[in-house]
Amino acid sequence: AGYLTGSIYYISFWYPRHMVRRRMGFFFASAGLGGICVGPLCSVLTSMDSKWLPWQRIFVVIGAISLLWSLLGPFVLADYPDTASFLSSDEQQLILKIMEHQNTVASTQQVRFVQVKMALLDFKVWLWTAIDFCANAATQVNGMFGPSIIESHGYSPQTAQALTALTNFMAFSGMASIAYTARILRGSSTAIALSNILTICGFLLVLCSSNPSVHILALFVFSFASPQPAAHGPAWQMCNLQGNTKPAMAAAMASAFGGLGPLATAFVYRDEDRPQYTRGHL
């Protein structure tokens, strides 16, 4: 539960504000990159003969990979730039000088409860949390229901899992592009509006056609567009909110409350609505 918030906060330790958005985009894009690998792997695991159920095999294998990978953290990740052994003294001083200029040297900052209060009372933080809630709800159409939607058009469960690699590639591309779209469109608000328009177009394609090929195309469209607002919010907060505690609190609120979006998705995408899922798309 703390991984997303902690990672967002950790990225802000290492980069000046104008570089955070691009790094945040690549961080969020890693979820899509993981999906590219995991989709075919799950397809293989579900087709194996075993005394375990398919979901049990997936839980054990994917969980073991995550556990082994996490054990590398204490040995690979340095706490702060000024304590990183892989940086030379000159490099440490250069980073410290840049971070001191914007008052974001994490190793000298303490948790300030006045900034926690400021985050809780800031309407912009709550607006970003609402945006994150809606973005997460839309994103989970691919993450949670992508295989079910593909399977409902006659594909086998193994093929449906494998095809999610393509939808996750679209999600990876969309997330990795957030810094560039925000720069080209001169702001996060315009970039979010464009991604939401593309997401709506994807849903309209599904609602206006019964062709399975159009449905798969629509899944690709909103797999590309729908995750982008969820990445723009934390990036904007880390770039624009002052201090260290307030951005961290804002990221935690977005993760805690915005992360409830998939619950809404689970209630509107019902098995009895297959294969159109009209209620969910609306």
Side-chain angles (χ1 to χ4, degrees):
Y3 171 73
L4 178 60
T5 304
S7 298
I8 293 171
Y9 191 38
Y10 182 75
I11 290 171
S12 70
F13 292 176
W14 290 81
Y15 300 101
R17 295 184 186 277
H18 69 282
M19 293 184 178
V20 165
R21 191 190 303 273
R22 184 181 302 176
R23 273 71 183 178
M24 204 79 75
F26 286 127
F27 167 72
F28 278 94
S30 66
L33 188 61
I36 294 172
C37 303
V38 168
L41 176 59
C42 290
S43 178
V44 172
L45 292 173
T46 54
S47 62
M48 292 172 56
D49 290 328
S50 172
K51 64 180 180 180
W52 289 354
L53 295 173
W55 68 265
Q56 292 174 321
R57 294 195 291 270
I58 292 172
F59 268 48
V60 170
V61 173
I62 302 301
I65 293 173
S66 301
L67 176 61
L68 293 173
W69 189 251
S70 68
L71 296 177
L72 294 176
F75 304 100
V76 176
L77 299 177
D79 291 336
Y80 309 106
D82 46 320
T83 61
S85 59
F86 58 84
L87 294 177
S88 67
S89 177
D90 290 342
E91 289 172 332
Q92 290 178 352
Q93 292 304 314
L94 176 61
I95 295 174
L96 281 175
K97 184 177 180 180
I98 295 172
M99 304 302 269
E100 284 174 353
H101 179 70
Q102 59 183 27
N103 191 31
T104 54
V105 181
S107 60
T108 62
Q109 297 279 348
Q110 295 181 339
V111 175
R112 300 180 59 191
F113 288 100
V114 64
Q115 288 197 3
V116 172
K117 181 179 178 181
M118 289 169 62
L120 291 172
L121 297 178
D122 192 335
F123 76 94
K124 295 187 296 297
V125 173
W126 286 106
L127 284 176
W128 278 116
T129 300
I131 291 172
D132 203 57
F133 176 91
C134 297
N136 277 309
T139 299
Q140 292 308 310
V141 174
N142 173 42
M144 294 175 64
F145 298 98
S148 298
I149 292 172
I150 295 172
E151 185 183 343
S152 68
H153 291 298
Y155 294 93
S156 68
Q158 292 80 14
T159 302
Q161 282 286 356
L163 285 175
T164 58
L166 298 177
T167 60
N168 278 294
F169 175 76
M170 299 300 295
F172 166 79
S173 302
M175 287 290 205
S177 68
I178 67 162
Y180 304 100
T181 55
R183 180 183 300 175
I184 293 170
L185 298 174
R186 300 183 180 278
S188 295
S189 58
T190 311
I192 289 173
L194 177 61
S195 64
N196 284 336
I197 290 171
L198 289 174
T199 301
I200 292 171
C201 288
F203 286 122
L204 288 176
L205 281 173
V206 175
L207 292 170
C208 297
S209 174
S210 58
N211 189 320
S213 298
V214 174
H215 286 193
I216 302 301
L217 173 63
L219 186 62
F220 286 175
V221 170
F222 57 66
S223 293
F224 173 82
S226 63
Q228 294 183 33
H232 278 294
W236 185 92
Q237 291 167 340
M238 288 299 174
C239 291
N240 292 279
L241 298 181
Q242 294 298 313
N244 273 16
T245 304
K246 186 177 180 181
M249 185 63 188
M253 291 166 62
S255 298
F257 297 107
L260 295 175
L263 282 177
T265 309
F267 280 105
V268 295
Y269 281 84
R270 307 178 306 175
D271 287 342
E272 53 264 37
D273 296 330
R274 300 173 63 169
Q276 290 295 114
Y277 289 104
T278 302
R279 178 193 298 268
H281 297 325
L282 285 173

